[in-house]
Structures are given as C-alpha cells and as structure tokens.
Amino acid sequence: MSIGIQSCLIIGGGMSGLIAGNILQKQGKKVTIIDKGRGIGGRLATRRIHHADQITGVFDYGMQFFAVQDPLFQQWVDQWLLEGVITEWSNQLSDAQTPCYRGKNSNRSLGQYLAQDLDVHLQTRGITITRDDVGWIVETETGQSFERDSLIMTPPVPQSLSLLENSDIPLPSSIKSRLEGVSYHSCTTILALLEQISLIPEPGWLKPSDSPIWAISSNHKKGISPQGFAVTIHSTPEFSDANWNTEEAVIAEKLFNAASHWLGSTVIDYQVHRWRYSHPKTVYGEEFLALENPGLLILAGDAFFFVKLRPKIVI
Ligand SMILES: Cc1cc2nc3c(=O)[nH]c(=O)nc-3n(C[C@H](O)[C@H](O)[C@H](O)COP(=O)(O)OP(=O)(O)OC[C@H]3O[C@@H](n4cnc5c(N)ncnc54)[C@H](O)[C@@H]3O)c2cc1C
C-alpha cells in the first residue's frame, strides 16, 4: 500500500499500528503513534510477577502465539526470525500443524522491536478527533495535540467507533452499521505463579474441551520464564461474560479448580486480567476501511485482518 500523504498519526501501538507505522515510515512519511497503554504492543502483552524468594514469573497474558496465512505477513515473519526477535514455538499447536511463532523473550518484545525506530507516545489516550484544512487533530487525555494529514485507527472497532462518535466525526450510515456489527469475545485471564513445574505437557500449551478454560500455557515450558513456573489461564468467552463482575478471588478459585489437573502445584501468587476485547467474534470483512473525505482516515486492526473468521481460530 502506498498512499499520497506526508504524515500520519496512528492511534494504537499493537501489532497492527506498529506494522503500519513501519511501512509508512519506510515510504518516507512522518509517522507518530499514540497508545493509551503503559507498555507497547497492545494485546502482545507480557507481565512479570516477582515473588519473595527471588522467583520471577514472566507471563505472556494476551496473544500466545501466531501462525502465518498471508504471504506478505510471511515476509515480516522471516525477517523477525532472521533478527532473532521471534522463534518457532511448535507446529503442533494448530490443527493445520503449521509453524506457530512467539516472541523470543516474550511477545511484548516483538512489540518493542517493531517500535524501536518509531515516534511512539505511551500512556497517551486520544480523546477527541477534529479535522481542519491541514489535517486530523487528535487531542489526548494528557493535554497534547497531534496534527497530521492522515489518521489510522487500530483499537478494537467499538473503541474506535465511540471515539469517532464522541468527536462528532460523521460516517456514511452503511459503513457505520457495518462497523457496529463487529464484535469481540471477552476473556478473563489468570497469571498464576506456581511452586513447582506444571503438568501441562510439552510444548506447554493446550486447549481443553468441555471446560471454562479456553487455553492454558506454561510460560516456563514455552521458554520465556526460566526463573518462575508461570502459567497463563485463559477462560472461555462464556465464562468471562458470566463472571465479568465477579470478584477476582472467586474467579481464581473457579479457574484453579478447573485447571487443577494441569497445575499439579500450589499457586504462590496470581493476578487476574479482564480483556473486554480479546479476539473478533464478527469481523468487518475487508482488510481495512479507508475514508477519504474530509481527509484520509483508515480503520484497521484484527477485526479487519481476520478478513473472514478462520474456520478454527488458533487460540
Ligand atoms: C487473551 C488473548 C489471547 C489471544 N491469543 C491469540 C493467539 O494465540 N493467537 C492469535 O493469533 N491471536 C490471539 N489473540 C488476538 C491477538 O492478540 C490480536 O488479534 C492482536 O494482538 C490485535 O492487534 P491489534 O494491533 O489489531 O490490536 P491491539 O493489540 O488491541 O492494539 C490496539 C491498541 O490501541 C490502543 N488504544 C485503544 N484506544 C486508544 C485510544 N483512545 N488512544 C490511544 N490508544 C488506544 C490500545 O491500548 C492497544 O494497544 C489473543 C488476544 C487475547 C486478548
């Protein structure tokens, strides 16, 4: 994609915004990325839990791994492999038995690598968007203002839509209703630090059936948590929706019970994270949405690059 613009503001420093930013910067555009998060990478999320006895658990607690379906994306992946930023985890994780990759040190490290040459502003939430003769102006919660001649929005679609609506940016009604049809599964995630190594079989990831657990991963067996037996438990969307307002201790008890067969150890510490938007349930159906009037505005992100819902999503 080569577009006739000089500068671009990207809202969202996840995989989508970072790849778009790198492409545009290579084309000579002035690129700025803002993200409301404290760390880069969006759902390429990694966190550490330090425990008293010099134990540190490293947890990938959003995306676990990714596979490649698009030849263009394969080129990026080949480069990341060459540079040692990612590694193949296994080819036994998806039904298609294709290689599944992970960040070498953690998934967030892939986000950090992609951001290294970009102008990125973290903890910078866009709260209003306006357009003047020169470009799009995004005001942030921190009182900053960015004006660029084009704008790319990569948050989950409901968040992009509400930002546009709150800013009174009109959208053609057919497009608006299509965007309103995009929805996401929620997911409740537990980061559990164990006393002993878990019983999750090699290579360290499994997807149980008939369980409130959608997937369970050993970050230790995955290779990113050498000094802590760190296990990530992702709930099913049904469990997450039904327990959205349930206390953390109760959620933990329910999911630890369901996971006991694979934990096989005392939990010495844990945290709970609730993902309102984990992965798309219904998608937009095109790779991105570009609107040219009053100026170039692009909506992108996983509800777009999952052009059709995969028959079996790799999660
Ligand atoms: C629990 C979980 C497990 C998953 N497992 C897998 C898996 O195994 N395999 C797989 O392929 N996919 C998986 N996914 C999905 C995958 O993580 C996403 O598809 C992908 O990371 C989406 O990237 P993105 O850049 O489109 O969106 P995001 O990573 O969500 O990036 C959007 C960014 O926009 C920022 N943002 C939002 N609003 C604003 C605002 N107003 N101002 C500034 N910034 C804003 C957010 O902070 C965020 O960083 C999983 C997701 C979750 C949550």
Side-chain angles (χ1 to χ4, degrees):
M1 177 176 63
S2 176
I3 42 184
I5 46 134
Q6 300 306 315
S7 65
C8 182
L9 180 69
I10 300 177
I11 302 182
M15 171 101 92
S16 307
L18 291 170
I19 289 183
N22 275 278
I23 292 172
L24 292 170
Q25 188 155 289
K26 276 196 194 113
Q27 291 173 0
K29 322 289 184 205
K30 176 180 161 62
V31 172
T32 306
I33 298 187
I34 61 167
D35 196 292
K36 66 182 169 65
R38 270 192 300 163
I40 194 71
R43 282 172 274 166
L44 289 175
T46 307
R47 193 185 290 176
R48 284 174 168 67
I49 297 182
H50 301 287
H51 190 72
D53 304 332
Q54 309 300 318
I55 298 169
T56 297
V58 182
F59 299 80
D60 280 341
Y61 67 101
M63 188 189 81
Q64 295 301 301
F65 55 82
F66 58 90
V68 180
Q69 293 179 329
D70 176 339
L72 271 180
F73 185 50
Q74 184 69 57
Q75 293 176 16
W76 286 86
V77 169
D78 290 344
Q79 185 63 27
W80 300 338
L81 284 167
L82 210 66
E83 302 214 2
V85 194
I86 61 165
T87 187
E88 185 179 329
W89 185 359
S90 171
N91 61 5
Q92 301 300 314
L93 304 177
S94 72
D95 293 342
Q97 302 207 331
T98 49
C100 289
Y101 302 99
R102 63 171 176 84
K104 194 159 186 182
N105 297 327
S106 70
N107 282 333
R108 196 180 303 279
S109 63
L110 173 58
Q112 287 162 341
Y113 165 83
L114 286 170
Q116 65 188 342
D117 296 325
L118 298 174
D119 176 28
V120 176
H121 301 250
L122 293 175
Q123 298 185 76
T124 305
R125 180 194 293 268
I127 50 168
T128 54
I129 301 172
T130 47
R131 174 84 204 180
D132 67 12
D133 293 344
V134 180
W136 294 99
I137 303 159
V138 174
E139 311 275 348
T140 73
E141 210 169 35
T142 41
Q144 290 159 285
S145 171
F146 295 90
E147 178 156 22
R148 302 289 183 269
D149 60 19
S150 59
L151 176 64
I152 299 182
M153 302 179 75
T154 65
V157 168
Q159 292 181 329
S160 291
L161 254 183
S162 91
L163 185 50
L164 289 167
E165 274 172 12
N166 294 341
S167 307
D168 291 328
I169 305 291
L171 292 172
S173 60
S174 59
I175 286 176
K176 187 167 175 242
S177 57
R178 237 174 119 182
L179 290 170
E180 284 167 347
V182 173
S183 62
Y184 293 75
H185 291 293
S186 72
C187 178
T188 299
T189 299
I190 302 213
L191 297 71
L193 190 57
L194 308 187
E195 194 170 67
Q196 288 161 1
I197 194 161
S198 76
L199 303 178
I200 302 166
E202 296 286 347
W205 180 88
L206 66 84
K207 195 170 162 191
S209 51
D210 200 19
S211 166
I213 295 175
W214 184 7
I216 179 165
S217 315
S218 162
N219 296 283
H220 184 75
K221 293 181 184 174
K222 187 179 187 180
I224 65 163
S225 183
Q227 279 153 16
F229 301 124
V231 167
T232 304
I233 305 171
H234 288 317
S235 79
T236 59
E238 294 75 23
F239 177 92
S240 183
D241 290 345
N243 290 280
W244 194 252
N245 296 311
T246 304
E247 270 176 50
E248 290 190 353
V250 176
I251 286 181
E253 192 186 345
K254 289 182 184 181
L255 291 179
F256 288 150
N257 279 340
S260 59
H261 179 70
W262 300 291
L263 294 181
S265 162
T266 306
V267 176
I268 52 179
D269 205 349
Y270 73 88
Q271 294 178 7
V272 176
H273 184 86
R274 298 177 211 244
W275 295 97
R276 169 69 72 193
Y277 306 108
S278 115
H279 66 275
K281 187 172 169 186
T282 51
V283 295
Y284 188 76
E286 287 170 43
E287 287 176 350
F288 57 91
L289 163 66
L291 298 167
E292 290 186 31
N293 191 12
L296 186 61
L297 168 65
I298 291 177
L299 268 70
D302 60 352
F304 297 86
F305 67 67
F306 286 24
V307 173
K308 294 183 284 201
L309 276 183
R310 299 168 188 175
K312 291 228 164 127
I313 202 160
V314 275
I315 302 176

